[in-house]
Amino acid sequence: MTFHLRVPSFIICALLLSLPVSGAGEAANFLPDRIGEFQAAGSPRGGAFEDYPLAEFPVLDTVKRIYLDQARAPYSVTLVRLRTEPAAYALLTSVADRLRQREAVVGSDQIGTWGVMTPSEVAFFKGTCFVLVSKAKLGTPEALRSLARGLAEKLDRGEGDIPPLVRHLPDWESAQNRAVFTLSLGELQAAAGHRPALEALSFDGGTEAITASYGPARLVIVEHTTPQFAADNDRRIIEHLKNLRAIGAPLPSLYRRIGNYAVFVFDAPDEGFARRLADAIRYEQVVRWLGPNPRAWERWERAYNRMTASVVVTTLKVTGLALILCLSIGSVLGGVVFFRRRARAAKFKNYTDAGDMVRLNIDELTAQTDPTRLLGPAK
């Protein structure tokens, strides 16, 4: 005899949601059961990041989880763990570029290391983690930001900073909101508009790139890790541009090597605009010694000489200022005393060497205007 047990479908769905799904990996540990007032609905689930392709990024694992607020409104959280912090920032800028195509994006450093916000989504990175938080129609923007902020507080901060290349953009603080940071040629081409001139680039050795729009123009900065990589790419790019010019293919408005940077300007309105944009880029060279610096003594000696010269110059300046101050104060006080005595002396019409004291007119030479003030003859 065979027995058939019928179980309602909603119970099966609930049981499936309550079971952890393989593939979440270690990233599931970053999504706790409760974040502030938000309660998780079901277990973390691993899987692909459907809306955004991750083939160009060094992804370790991806995890998703649904959270409910006190009004039972659902919020979807997707966390992607990557190998490096620059890769996490690169994924954030790529997602932000796609979000800008749908709605207004506002950049902010108040959530995670850096993030972008829209009325319906918040994306940020912190350490090696990238997080995207989305709300349903029942959710509120305030609750969305509160959930993202609470989740960011639980993540390791890592270096706690954006890649240095971002700060080398002209007017980088405003350009960062529209910039895309990339670690591969495919992502750079997608962000810059598939430019033929970029096909000669090689991203070997940890090369990084960033692109941003400046009015009608598109700026691309590619940073190579060593001068050798920069020189090899520079020769390859120049040769590639010659070939493009020979076949009449589109060329950049300007190409220039600046230190380890390869700088491209596309679609500039004129040559002067492209040149000014490239001139605003400053390459900061950093040299690191694998062992003791062989020129440490020379650097210390130069620093000591600069310090000594600075002390001497400062002493002379202070001495000169003190002398000028003393002479100025002495001149003012002396002048005040001189003119005050002069004014007092001008009040007396007759001069007497007795200083207004009683004086005997023995020599009878001094003219007397008031005889009653004279002493009489001696008795």
Side-chain angles (χ1 to χ4, degrees):
M1 182 179 293
T2 303
F3 296 92
H4 298 278
L5 180 61
R6 301 184 64 182
V7 181
S9 59
F10 72 90
I11 296 180
I12 297 176
C13 294
L15 291 174
L16 290 175
L17 287 175
S18 63
L19 294 174
V21 178
S22 61
E26 297 182 5
N29 300 328
F30 297 103
L31 299 181
D33 294 335
R34 190 170 187 85
I35 302 176
E37 63 179 15
F38 299 90
Q39 179 65 43
S43 300
R45 301 179 63 84
F49 197 7
E50 293 90 354
D51 297 335
Y52 304 95
L54 300 179
E56 298 286 343
F57 299 94
V59 176
L60 295 177
D61 45 21
T62 304
V63 64
K64 296 183 179 181
R65 201 167 193 181
I66 302 298
Y67 286 87
L68 303 177
D69 62 10
Q70 295 179 346
R72 309 299 294 176
Y75 299 83
S76 173
V77 176
T78 301
L79 187 145
V80 182
R81 197 163 62 95
L82 299 105
R83 295 187 183 276
T84 62
E85 295 182 36
Y89 179 76
L91 179 56
L92 169 64
T93 59
S94 178
V95 172
D97 189 49
R98 294 171 180 260
L99 291 178
R100 277 191 291 268
Q101 300 175 12
R102 300 201 302 261
E103 48 189 338
V105 173
V106 178
S108 173
D109 57 357
Q110 298 179 355
I111 301 178
T113 304
W114 180 262
V116 294
M117 299 180 292
T118 71
S120 59
E121 293 177 294
V122 173
F124 67 90
F125 93 99
K126 188 175 182 181
T128 58
C129 292
F130 162 82
V131 180
L132 177 66
V133 185
S134 306
K135 76 174 185 66
K137 293 183 179 180
L138 298 179
T140 62
E142 293 76 16
L144 176 70
R145 294 182 178 88
S146 177
L147 174 59
R149 194 173 292 111
L151 179 58
E153 293 175 355
K154 299 180 180 298
L155 299 177
D156 180 59
R157 69 187 300 269
E159 295 293 334
D161 200 4
I162 59 177
L165 181 59
V166 181
R167 292 189 171 88
H168 292 178
L169 285 171
D171 190 20
W172 74 270
E173 292 181 339
S174 62
Q176 183 183 7
N177 295 327
R178 60 182 185 274
V180 178
F181 179 79
T182 67
L183 302 175
S184 65
L185 180 58
E187 282 294 313
L188 177 60
Q189 286 282 32
H194 299 281
R195 311 287 181 167
L198 301 178
E199 295 174 355
L201 288 173
S202 172
F203 276 73
D204 296 336
T207 299
E208 301 175 348
I210 192 167
T211 177
S213 60
Y214 289 84
R218 166 70 60 177
L219 174 66
V220 175
I221 304 177
V222 182
E223 181 181 16
H224 303 98
T225 53
T226 65
Q228 290 76 15
F229 281 122
D232 293 341
N233 272 275
D234 182 59
R235 288 191 293 268
R236 192 162 44 247
I237 292 170
I238 293 176
E239 185 65 25
H240 182 62
L241 293 179
K242 291 180 180 178
N243 297 333
L244 291 178
R245 186 178 293 106
I247 63 176
L251 294 173
S253 303
L254 178 143
Y255 165 72
R256 181 186 300 176
R257 179 188 172 188
I258 305 175
N260 285 358
Y261 293 164
V263 179
F264 298 85
V265 180
F266 299 97
D267 304 330
D270 53 64
E271 184 179 353
F273 183 90
R275 189 181 300 109
R276 288 191 298 271
L277 198 58
D279 290 341
I281 300 172
R282 294 291 180 268
Y283 173 72
E284 299 176 0
Q285 186 176 8
V286 178
V287 177
R288 294 183 177 89
W289 296 96
L290 299 180
N293 188 350
R295 298 185 177 180
W297 175 260
E298 297 179 7
R299 294 180 58 186
W300 181 87
E301 186 177 12
R302 287 196 299 269
Y304 178 78
N305 292 337
R306 285 196 298 266
M307 182 186 67
T308 304
S310 177
V311 170
V312 172
V313 172
T314 302
T315 302
L316 293 176
K317 289 182 178 179
V318 171
T319 303
L321 290 175
L323 181 60
I324 294 174
L325 184 63
C326 292
L327 292 176
S328 300
I329 295 176
S331 300
V332 172
L333 294 179
V336 170
V337 173
F338 172 77
F339 287 108
R340 188 173 181 182
R341 289 183 178 179
R342 194 172 191 180
R344 289 179 57 186
K347 294 179 181 180
F348 300 97
K349 297 181 179 179
N350 297 325
Y351 171 77
T352 171
D353 58 358
D356 295 335
M357 298 174 61
V358 176
R359 180 179 182 278
L360 298 178
N361 190 18
I362 300 177
D363 51 10
E364 297 182 354
L365 296 177
T366 304
Q368 301 297 332
T369 58
D370 188 2
T372 59
R373 295 177 60 85
L374 297 177
L375 297 176
K379 295 182 182 181

